[in-house]
Amino acid sequence: MTKREQLQAAAKDRVLIFDGAFGTQIQLRKLTEEDYAGNLGLKADQKGNNDILALTRPDVLSDITRAYFEAGSDIVSTNTFSANRISQADYAAEGLVREINVASGKLARALADEYAAKDGKPRFVAGAIGPTNKTLSLSPDVEDPGYREITFDYLVDVYLEQARALVEGGVDFILIETVFDTLNAKAGVMAVKQLERELGREVPVMISMTLTDLSGRNLSGHTVEAFWYAVRHAKPVTIGLNCSFGAEQLRPHVKVLSQIADTLLMIYPNAGLPNELGEYDELPDTTAGLVKDWADHGQVNILGGCCGSSPAHIAAIAKAVANSEPRAVPSPEPAMKLAGLEAFIAA
């Protein structure tokens, strides 16, 4: 049975649990520059480069990953959101992209296998790929709307380097997450398809969009429905929403996506909205109560947390939906479904 089939089989029995935020948990450790930099000898200050901890303080990432498994996670992500050539250039660490991703993948894989061996339940690892700090759809120069900082082909190469290393590290899926630009996500999909040709096997993708306003669009202007039709060809094992807002604000958009997506739905919202200091105050039971409503209405297959969430949030979610029926994946009527900024369906 393939990893795609294993995940789909597990999702038929119950609502599965994803993990929560790494950044919040890392911040709680109050790490110093020396913790981040280790003995790598990099020229730039490394404080805040969470991804490089896979090389310098893997014990920190192991503790956090273990805490999420203890909280009930069936799927954990690698701490590699910014472990790509573009983002790591800010820390003069672009030469360590492969090492960071391989190490993160191996770390998560070992713990997933350890917990699966304890109770016989499968545990999965999603190799996290963030959007980078570049956008293919929009110009950073308001006086030159046609200007782009990078090309599509370059971003494909950036993602391919990262995805290849994550798979080498042992991940089950590539999670293209926090998608603010649909074209960036397409570059990620293209990279994975190239990797599949290299390996001669499927590398299933998970895709997760982030909204930039309450009307339900991402930064490149796509509605939730249009986004799904723009990436559906990739046959993602999961589609979903993460970050941007808390569960309360995502409610109508979860409902829309649940009705149209013929694959598993994975939602991991922030722990509410940030306060004036940029911190998240929403308590675990509050988050759990909000996402339980989605489960009670048969709208989700996998639930987790994003910014501000903790193992306590994940444990509360796992407890809240323990007896909930998982969403039945719909089988929409065949039709031509296209995507501009809005969805277009040819009846």
Side-chain angles (χ1 to χ4, degrees):
M1 187 181 291
T2 66
K3 291 297 182 178
R4 176 189 289 269
E5 292 167 339
Q6 288 179 28
L7 185 68
Q8 290 170 334
K12 287 182 179 179
D13 296 330
R14 57 194 173 86
V15 176
L16 300 179
I17 303 299
F18 189 47
D19 64 12
F22 271 81
T24 313
Q25 298 304 299
I26 291 171
Q27 289 171 10
L28 293 175
R29 266 78 177 170
K30 307 294 184 185
L31 300 180
T32 66
E33 155 66 11
E34 289 73 24
D35 288 311
Y36 284 95
N39 60 1
L40 297 175
L42 296 172
K43 295 179 180 178
D45 190 315
Q46 296 301 307
K47 191 167 185 180
N49 187 3
N50 290 343
D51 307 77
I52 211 164
L53 294 173
L55 303 179
T56 58
R57 287 295 305 273
D59 58 303
V60 171
L61 302 186
S62 291
D63 287 347
I64 295 169
T65 302
R66 188 177 294 278
Y68 282 127
F69 275 129
E70 290 290 340
S73 293
D74 299 286
I75 310 163
V76 295
S77 57
T78 54
N79 182 56
T80 52
F81 185 82
S82 297
N84 61 76
R85 198 185 317 158
I86 293 171
S87 301
Q88 286 301 308
D90 293 342
Y91 298 97
E94 59 267 45
L96 294 173
V97 164
R98 177 184 170 275
E99 288 85 349
I100 292 170
N101 285 282
V102 170
S104 288
K106 287 183 175 179
L107 184 154
R109 175 82 272 149
L111 288 171
D113 292 346
E114 175 188 325
Y115 276 83
K118 287 181 179 180
D119 58 15
K121 289 197 307 182
R123 302 300 199 286
F124 303 93
V125 178
I129 288 183
T132 79
N133 54 13
K134 309 296 183 184
T135 172
L136 291 172
S137 294
L138 303 169
S139 172
D141 184 352
V142 294
E143 296 182 355
D144 186 1
Y147 173 71
R148 298 293 185 273
E149 290 184 276
I150 58 171
T151 66
F152 181 87
D153 288 344
Y154 177 72
L155 188 55
V156 171
D157 287 342
V158 168
Y159 281 143
L160 178 57
E161 178 183 31
Q162 185 178 9
R164 185 187 289 125
L166 285 168
V167 170
E168 182 181 344
V171 306
D172 300 310
F173 314 109
I174 296 296
L175 170 60
I176 303 169
E177 65 172 335
T178 320
V179 177
F180 63 77
D181 183 339
T182 304
L183 195 54
N184 282 34
K186 284 177 171 287
V189 169
M190 177 70 78
V192 174
K193 292 302 176 185
Q194 290 186 14
L195 181 59
E196 288 180 334
R197 288 195 289 272
E198 284 183 14
L199 299 176
R201 66 174 178 86
E202 183 192 32
V203 179
V205 294
M206 298 169 152
I207 302 177
S208 187
M209 175 189 189
T210 189
L211 306 180
T212 54
D213 61 55
L214 291 174
S215 71
R217 295 179 186 270
N218 65 1
L219 189 65
S220 56
H222 294 90
T223 64
V224 169
E225 189 174 9
F227 178 77
W228 167 238
Y229 296 143
V231 300
R232 183 176 179 269
H233 68 281
K235 296 181 172 58
V237 66
T238 70
I239 190 72
L241 301 169
N242 77 289
C243 204
S244 59
F245 300 112
E248 185 64 42
Q249 292 76 25
L250 290 183
R251 185 185 306 274
H253 311 299
V254 171
K255 182 178 180 181
V256 168
L257 195 54
S258 175
Q259 293 169 340
I260 62 173
D262 55 349
T263 192
L264 301 178
L265 195 64
M266 182 167 79
I267 311 292
Y268 49 117
N270 291 347
L273 297 175
N275 59 27
E276 294 82 357
L277 300 176
E279 298 174 343
Y280 293 85
D281 300 322
E282 188 169 277
L283 297 175
D285 287 343
T286 302
T287 303
L290 291 169
V291 302
K292 184 179 187 299
D293 185 63
W294 300 336
D296 289 344
H297 286 85
Q299 295 175 343
V300 290
N301 301 102
I302 306 169
L303 286 169
C306 202
C307 301
S309 61
S310 67
H313 287 83
I314 299 308
I317 292 171
K319 181 179 179 181
V321 303
N323 297 315
S324 299
E325 289 293 320
R327 165 180 170 267
V329 176
S331 299
E333 289 294 320
M336 180 184 291
K337 298 171 181 177
L338 307 175
L341 296 184
E342 308 278 348
F344 174 78
I345 301 175

